[in-house]
Amino acid sequence: MTTLRWLGPIALCGLALPVFAHHSFAMFDYDHRITLTGTVTKFEWTNPHAYIELDVADANGGAKHYSIECASPNVLTRLGWKFNELKTGDKVTILVNPLKNGKLGGMMEKTTLPDGRTLGDGNPPGGRFDQ
Amino acid sequence: MRTIALMLSLAALPVLAQTQSKGNPPNLNGAWAVYRAGRGAAADPKLAAPAAGPMLLKSPYADAYKKRQAAEREADQRGEPLGNRGTLCIPYGMPQMMSAIYPLEILQTPGQITIITEAFSEVRRIYLDEPQAKMGEVAPGYYGHSVGHWDGDMLMVDTIGIKEEVLGFRSMPHSDQVRITERFHLAAPDVLHDQVTVEDPVTLEKPWTFTFAYRRTPNYHLLEYVCENNREYLDDNGVTRLKLQDH
């Protein structure tokens, strides 16, 4: 069952900048998050970013496919992720900052694993650190 | 008068004589991460990196820089961020690599100090007690040619030969005549400062100085970083796009 939950804009205070490695992340909407529950079709433990490919069932018995960008394996490792944390077929729930252009992709904020553990992406809520 | 004459004669000494190490160098071996308030070890404001000085660019570089910054802000607000060489997974080079977005490792061996960064697995080699090459004799690259010497507990490093295309720290534009001097010293037993001064007769009105601070992370093993799966690409307008997997 798909869960698609929009949260309201996140209040930001002070000068807020996204803290990332190799590119601006302004293509993602940090004012909104969606919660996607689905089935992992691939987990790519690669640089410059890890990716979770996810099939999310739709209301018509089909599935929508999302490409979800994560931090780098370097950052994820420091947050407790392992290279084999996800495998194809795993059921997960992912909090995502969606692409602003409406395409089916986004930036992972946190993932609830099949065993119930939750691992983050190193981003504070809203995807920004106050500087 | 005698003092001035002495100063003049010292200034005339060959470069080699000014680059011989003296004193007992401290141990900088090991892994280091950015020293930042609120993360990692409790940060002491006295040990944090001082604020960077002003970057004073010559015209027309100053105008172009302001325009680019404004265009980047505007593009970010539009949700269509402009990309740069980093977006394309091209390594940072000097001096940006020393910002250590991920930890770095320092290896002190006889006659050489080697710095390896985790991000992009960048490597720079600093040759100790060797004369610097002449400007224009070094093939321009990402790390240039670095020589250094110990002045007591301070490591002085001089770097030339940085390619114009290498993005400067905070995207500072530079020419192939850029010179980077660094002063490394331990601000505390486990806190290292790298005070960087960038000089460029073409783009800078005056030298620009900023400091990176690191904390020692004794048990940290650097991870590999190979940019093999870059899904970000730049479209015809230079906008960063994400390649989605069709399914």
Side-chain angles (χ1 to χ4, degrees):
Chain A
M1 193 64 197
T2 307
T3 310
L4 191 69
R5 183 164 55 93
W6 286 86
L7 299 179
I10 312 296
L12 298 167
C13 39
L15 174 65
L17 295 167
V19 175
F20 283 108
H22 82 115
H23 62 88
S24 162
F25 281 70
M27 71 177 105
F28 301 110
D29 184 352
Y30 289 103
D31 291 335
H32 296 95
R33 300 131 125 191
I34 54 175
T35 299
L36 299 173
T37 297
T39 305
V40 175
T41 62
K42 202 172 184 195
F43 180 45
E44 295 183 348
W45 186 257
T46 54
N47 267 309
H49 296 281
Y51 285 91
I52 301 170
E53 297 294 340
L54 193 73
D55 273 346
V56 178
D58 64 21
N60 307 319
K64 282 182 174 172
H65 185 79
Y66 286 80
S67 291
I68 299 160
E69 184 165 308
C70 310
S72 70
N74 309 62
V75 169
L76 295 178
T77 299
R78 292 191 263 283
L79 294 168
W81 286 79
K82 291 192 174 62
F83 70 95
N84 56 0
E85 204 68 74
L86 293 177
K87 57 184 190 302
T88 301
D90 277 354
K91 302 276 190 285
V92 292
T93 296
I94 309 178
L95 186 62
V96 171
N97 298 119
L99 279 169
K100 282 181 180 167
N101 65 11
K103 294 195 172 164
L104 298 182
M107 169 61 64
M108 189 262 284
E109 193 166 312
K110 68 177 180 185
T111 298
T112 305
L113 304 169
D115 64 9
R117 284 179 301 136
T118 296
L119 290 174
D121 194 54
N123 305 319
R128 290 163 179 159
F129 289 103
D130 287 339
Q131 297 289 298
Chain B
M1 207 51 200
R2 187 171 290 176
T3 313
I4 291 169
L6 180 66
M7 283 168 68
L8 285 172
S9 66
L10 280 173
L13 286 173
V15 172
L16 186 62
Q18 296 170 25
T19 57
Q20 292 304 302
S21 293
K22 48 184 189 283
N24 291 320
N27 181 7
L28 306 184
N29 274 308
W32 300 82
V34 166
Y35 185 89
R36 194 184 275 139
R39 274 178 251 174
D44 178 345
K46 289 193 293 290
L47 299 176
M55 181 209 299
L56 295 175
L57 293 168
K58 285 184 180 174
S59 183
Y61 297 96
D63 298 334
Y65 186 83
K66 270 186 212 149
K67 265 187 202 155
R68 171 73 189 185
Q69 298 286 97
E72 284 179 3
R73 275 195 301 274
E74 197 264 329
D76 275 0
Q77 280 161 13
R78 222 174 40 237
E80 296 187 323
L82 300 177
N84 58 33
R85 293 163 67 78
T87 315
L88 300 175
C89 264
I90 295 173
Y92 296 131
M94 273 296 289
Q96 176 71 36
M97 66 177 280
M98 297 306 293
S99 70
I101 60 158
Y102 299 159
L104 55 75
E105 185 173 34
I106 300 179
L107 305 176
Q108 251 168 301
T109 49
Q112 183 175 326
I113 287 172
T114 309
I115 300 178
I116 303 168
T117 67
E118 185 174 287
F120 294 108
S121 302
E122 298 188 87
V123 180
R124 61 184 294 223
R125 297 176 179 86
I126 299 160
Y127 301 106
L128 298 178
D129 301 328
E130 287 188 14
Q132 180 58 289
K134 285 199 184 90
M135 190 72 80
E137 283 182 353
V138 179
Y142 283 77
Y143 313 105
H145 185 253
S146 293
V147 296
H149 67 277
W150 287 100
D151 185 358
D153 55 7
M154 181 90 73
L155 174 65
M156 320 289 278
V157 181
D158 182 83
T159 301
I160 60 170
I162 305 297
K163 235 181 189 164
E164 273 184 53
E165 291 81 0
V166 171
L167 268 186
F169 182 57
R170 295 188 183 166
S171 302
M172 191 205 99
H174 62 88
S175 72
D176 58 2
Q177 293 168 58
V178 66
R179 177 178 289 275
I180 302 165
T181 51
E182 293 166 279
R183 298 158 71 92
F184 290 83
H185 81 280
L186 290 174
D190 292 320
V191 178
L192 177 66
H193 281 190
D194 176 15
Q195 188 194 75
V196 184
T197 298
V198 183
E199 294 165 83
D200 193 312
V202 177
T203 67
L204 282 176
E205 286 284 2
K206 54 181 265 192
W208 182 33
T209 298
F210 47 88
T211 301
F212 298 120
Y214 316 96
R215 65 186 163 84
R216 208 188 288 265
T217 53
N219 299 315
Y220 185 72
H221 294 172
L222 262 71
L223 300 172
E224 72 168 45
Y225 186 109
V226 178
C227 227
E228 63 178 315
N229 183 29
N230 189 10
R231 296 211 202 167
E232 269 75 32
Y233 65 97
L234 303 184
D235 69 12
D236 291 343
N237 298 317
V239 171
T240 308
R241 303 285 184 194
L242 175 64
K243 209 179 293 168
L244 300 174
Q245 182 174 297
D246 293 327
H247 194 71

